[in-house]
Amino acid sequence: MDEKKVMLSGIQPSGDLTLGSYLGAIKNWGARAEEFDCYYFMADMHSITVRQDPAALRRRTLEQLAQYIACGLDPERNTLFIQSHVHQHAELGWVLNCYTMFGELSRMTQFKDKSAKNKDNINGGLFTYPALMAADILLYQPDYVPVGEDQKQHCELTRDVAQRFNHIYGDVFKIPEPYIPKVGARIMSLSDPASKMSKSDKDPNGSVYLMEKPEDIQRKFKRAVTDSDTERCVRYDPANKPGVANLMTIYAAVTGRTMEEIEREFDGQGYGVFKPAVGEAVVETLRPIREEAQRILKDKAYLESVYRAGAEKASRVAERTLRKVYKKVGFVAR
Ligand code: TRP
């Protein structure tokens, strides 16, 4: 029998999901389960490298899990779990710390960025985080790790650490490949079409969130920056009309229409008609996701059954790798 290839990714429960990450990525994740054996976890242990409000972290972890399920990650077909529920992450993380070099960690650009931003809390965890991330990955012997541009360097380090370990002890870890997903739509900020729509955007009007109320979404679209050109018509011209092009990209992604079809649809009409139409289409796309996520969040027993089953499955797989590692490094078997 042909075994499916394994794919794994971690998500930091650090903010609300945006329309940008939905249309650009998450929307396509459900279909991956056809081809891959997929693991996704809420990386709560990574989140505490930056100080968190405990109640908020707990809430966001569950909210994020509910949102991913509502976006189409079926818990029956994917392994969904919370990182801190699978103790093997911390254990392998410690071991790999001892095979990750100070110099390597010092070169990580995310560490440099984050320590520049959190000068009063440059803690050990922030520095050694890539060793924990290597453990997250290597425990499951995945073939692929889908990550964004910003995590490529950590994936490279994971490969280096795995190779170093294998070189000493024989083949313990599969060497994973980064997986650069086929790009979905690239959605820009509604208030600044030159920068990407992001959950960490300081301007709340730039981003639309999956859980947002319809009237708030509609208001943001009505206020969206269009362009100061004089023709004021709906035409796809990203170089000269980036604001309009962004709204057209969003409209195309949610309606499945082409740019030509959209130009024809709004022919002779100004932005005053176009912007609310995009808002309305987005509201209708997000409505079932929001309602489903809210329903799941209220159903505590269901949510609990999902993350329990996920952790149980993950822990079984992770334990196999951890045992091998403990034996190789010379720990006495329990
Ligand atoms: N470091 C990732 C981020 O900040 C999250 C993450 C933690 C991760 N462990 C992982 C991603 C393992 C992929 C694989 O986004």
Side-chain angles (χ1 to χ4, degrees):
M1 199 188 81
D2 227 16
E3 288 264 320
K4 278 184 182 173
K5 301 251 187 202
V6 176
M7 184 177 268
L8 168 135
S9 196
I11 307 138
Q12 286 219 35
S14 57
D16 297 322
L17 301 177
T18 69
L19 178 69
S21 50
Y22 176 68
L23 295 178
I26 303 164
K27 189 181 166 194
N28 307 315
W29 290 4
R32 284 179 184 169
E34 306 273 336
E35 203 181 331
F36 302 103
D37 184 11
C38 296
Y39 293 79
Y40 299 97
F41 63 93
M42 306 304 127
D44 55 348
M45 292 167 72
H46 286 270
S47 292
I48 63 164
T49 56
V50 175
R51 204 66 76 224
Q52 301 284 332
D53 171 48
L57 177 61
R58 207 170 350 257
R59 177 178 52 75
R60 282 199 317 265
T61 302
L62 295 174
E63 277 176 5
Q64 213 160 78
L65 179 60
Q67 287 176 48
Y68 280 98
I69 298 170
C71 286
L73 278 188
D74 178 354
E76 301 286 328
R77 312 186 66 211
N78 298 272
T79 306
L80 308 178
F81 65 100
I82 297 170
Q83 184 186 25
S84 60
H85 290 185
V86 181
H87 59 81
Q88 290 85 353
H89 289 248
E91 292 176 80
L92 184 63
W94 172 253
V95 174
L96 294 185
N97 252 308
C98 304
Y99 295 81
T100 307
M101 299 302 133
F102 181 85
E104 289 176 315
L105 293 169
S106 309
R107 284 193 290 276
M108 296 294 117
T109 49
Q110 192 174 60
F111 172 70
K112 292 187 215 167
D113 288 352
K114 286 202 178 175
S115 48
K117 276 188 211 140
N118 300 283
K119 280 223 180 336
D120 51 344
N121 185 20
I122 307 178
N123 59 74
L126 192 65
F127 185 63
T128 59
Y129 159 131
L132 179 60
M133 178 159 161
D136 297 338
I137 296 171
L138 297 173
L139 278 172
Y140 301 93
Q141 310 278 357
D143 297 277
Y144 300 110
V145 181
V147 285
E149 205 45 52
D150 64 321
Q151 295 300 319
K152 264 197 184 151
Q153 199 184 25
H154 294 156
C155 285
E156 283 306 314
L157 181 62
T158 297
R159 287 166 58 89
D160 292 345
V161 171
Q163 270 156 351
R164 178 173 303 138
F165 198 92
N166 284 354
H167 188 71
I168 306 173
Y169 302 105
D171 275 343
V172 175
F173 298 124
K174 179 172 253 168
I175 309 299
E177 301 280 339
Y179 176 89
I180 308 303
K182 286 186 210 79
V183 276
R186 187 174 155 79
I187 307 298
M188 313 306 280
S189 156
L190 297 186
S191 51
D192 172 16
S195 65
K196 221 175 123 185
M197 184 181 286
S198 149
K199 60 182 176 185
S200 46
D201 194 338
K202 270 161 243 57
D203 178 2
N205 289 320
S207 299
V208 169
Y209 300 97
L210 295 193
M211 301 306 280
E212 217 164 359
K213 290 207 283 291
E215 54 272 31
D216 293 338
I217 297 177
Q218 198 46 275
R219 181 178 45 77
K220 288 182 183 181
F221 276 97
K222 284 187 184 147
R223 279 204 200 157
V225 169
T226 34
D227 308 283
S228 50
D229 60 323
T230 44
E231 67 174 25
R232 305 201 55 82
C233 76
V234 178
R235 190 166 58 76
Y236 189 66
D237 181 358
N240 298 307
K241 296 159 69 82
V244 171
N246 185 40
L247 293 174
M248 289 178 78
T249 303
I250 293 171
Y251 195 64
V254 298
T255 61
R257 286 172 210 165
T258 64
M259 294 305 174
E260 296 78 66
E261 285 167 341
I262 298 170
E263 285 174 359
R264 235 174 298 131
E265 183 178 346
F266 294 99
D267 187 28
Q269 290 172 315
Y271 300 154
V273 174
F274 176 55
K275 291 202 280 187
V278 180
E280 194 49 38
V282 168
V283 164
E284 289 317 315
T285 300
L286 296 187
R287 187 188 303 283
I289 297 174
R290 186 187 71 241
E291 288 175 354
E292 178 66 359
Q294 282 166 342
R295 192 190 62 72
I296 294 169
L297 267 175
K298 280 202 205 102
D299 191 346
K300 293 272 178 286
Y302 171 73
L303 203 54
E304 200 176 300
S305 73
V306 167
Y307 64 68
R308 280 213 183 143
E312 218 169 279
K313 156 102 195 282
S315 186
R316 230 175 11 250
V317 176
E319 183 61 22
R320 285 204 290 270
T321 304
L322 187 69
R323 281 237 183 106
K324 264 193 223 168
V325 169
Y326 274 13
K327 189 169 171 201
K328 293 287 188 186
V329 301
F331 292 166
V332 174
R334 259 182 279 194

